[in-house]
Amino acid sequence: MYTKPTTPTPRTSVTAPVLQQRKKSGDKIAMLTCYDASFAAHFDSAGIDAVLVGDSLGMVIQGRSSTLPVTLDHMIYHCAAVARGMQAPLLIADLPFMSYRDVPTALVSAARLIGEGEAEMVKLEGAGWALEVITALAERDVAVCAHLGLTPQSVHKLGGYRVQGKQSEDAERLLADAHAVAAAGAALLVLECVPAELATRITSEVSIPVIGIGAGAGCDGQVLVLYDMLGITPGRRPRFSKDFLRGHDSIDAALVAYVEAVRDSSFPGPEHAW
Ligand code: KIV
């Protein structure tokens, strides 16, 4: 039976300004996804900085082929569970597909994720039309994480889960989008599946911390899907991921190994990037 930890590890709680400070100091940020209280209870002592309740739960929890069927109610349910399980890491939650399609809808969705789900930051995909949503949320003091590169909610438009920004025109657009989301008020940026050289350039140019997944070691931090890094996702593991449970005898040891590898930049290696 799950019991809430009574003696939380004495770490300073991670906040958006703490992550901003980490960009300045160059100390890498270790982030993972999580979907329930039992796994979350392992995160405090492992030293994970930020936890993302990702809409990837549609795939790894619900067994769907994309994130598109995930609803706001699903996100709130899982976010509240994670919030009950951990103390220190910053709790970020995805706004699911179409829940931020315009400003009024986004404000209501974010209010529910924060109020009912206890999220401390909300993540949304894209730039362009989404910039006014980021601005509206940031103006109301909602901490926003932008997500660029491979944006899984656009899978049908993109034509699959592919590396983005390989052509110079696409790379320039991604760079411009990264500047635009930061200017709109995003506090954090996730860059998914973009060439390492481009991700490093974006990280050095934008003022906000950049967290990579399949974007090389030059980002300010890394995020992986928890089940991928424990090697329990069914099917083929994505190239950018690594099974940290292999060679370790417990989930705690695997989490600590991940945090250490992110901090000393030994993960991701060139074999995990493009
Ligand atoms: O939903 C998710 O888990 C994500 C990560 C892959 C960054 O967006």
Side-chain angles (χ1 to χ4, degrees), residues 89-179:
L90 180 72
L91 180 52
I92 307 169
D94 265 332
L95 284 163
F97 181 58
M98 284 295 157
S99 69
Y100 53 99
R101 60 185 175 268
D102 51 43
V103 168
T105 311
L107 295 180
V108 172
S109 300
R112 288 197 62 205
L113 258 188
I114 294 165
E116 298 170 47
E118 295 187 46
E120 295 163 322
M121 183 180 278
V122 297
K123 179 163 85 59
L124 56 85
E125 297 180 8
W129 64 269
L131 293 173
E132 67 164 346
V133 173
I134 296 174
T135 301
L137 289 166
E139 279 175 353
R140 288 159 181 81
D141 294 337
V142 173
V144 179
C145 175
H147 182 156
L148 297 174
L150 171 52
T151 45
Q153 290 175 15
S154 310
V155 60
H156 295 310
K157 188 174 172 201
L158 296 175
Y161 298 103
R162 300 204 175 90
V163 181
Q164 302 294 308
K166 287 210 284 199
Q167 309 302 325
S168 63
E169 209 174 284
D170 299 335
E172 288 307 319
R173 185 184 39 79
L174 259 176
L175 182 63
D177 283 350
H179 280 290

Side-chain angles (χ1 to χ4, degrees), residues 31-35 52-57 60 67 75 94 123 125 147 150 152-153 190-192 211-213 223-226 228 240:
M31 176 164 149
L32 281 176
T33 70
C34 188
Y35 316 98
L52 171 67
V53 183
D55 59 359
S56 51
L57 69 84
V60 299
T67 60
M75 292 306 306
D94 265 332
K123 179 163 85 59
E125 297 180 8
H147 182 156
L150 171 52
Q153 290 175 15
V190 165
L191 266 189
E192 180 166 355
I211 309 295
I213 174 165
V223 60
L224 283 179
V225 170
L226 176 65
D228 288 347
F240 55 74

Side-chain angles (χ1 to χ4, degrees), residues 134 138 144-146 181-189 208:
I134 296 174
V144 179
C145 175
V181 296
L188 195 65
L189 169 60
I208 57 175

Side-chain angles (χ1 to χ4, degrees), residues 3-67:
T3 46
K4 190 177 169 82
T6 49
T7 50
T9 313
R11 291 179 63 232
T12 313
S13 281
V14 182
T15 60
V18 167
L19 295 187
Q20 187 63 46
Q21 183 54 37
R22 297 279 286 278
K23 182 177 179 89
K24 226 170 139 192
S25 66
D27 295 319
K28 299 273 183 182
I29 299 162
M31 176 164 149
L32 281 176
T33 70
C34 188
Y35 316 98
D36 68 60
S38 293
F39 271 118
H42 292 265
F43 281 35
D44 281 315
S45 55
I48 300 286
D49 300 302
V51 166
L52 171 67
V53 183
D55 59 359
S56 51
L57 69 84
M59 299 166 94
V60 299
I61 301 282
Q62 298 174 342
R64 313 259 196 181
S65 60
S66 79
T67 60

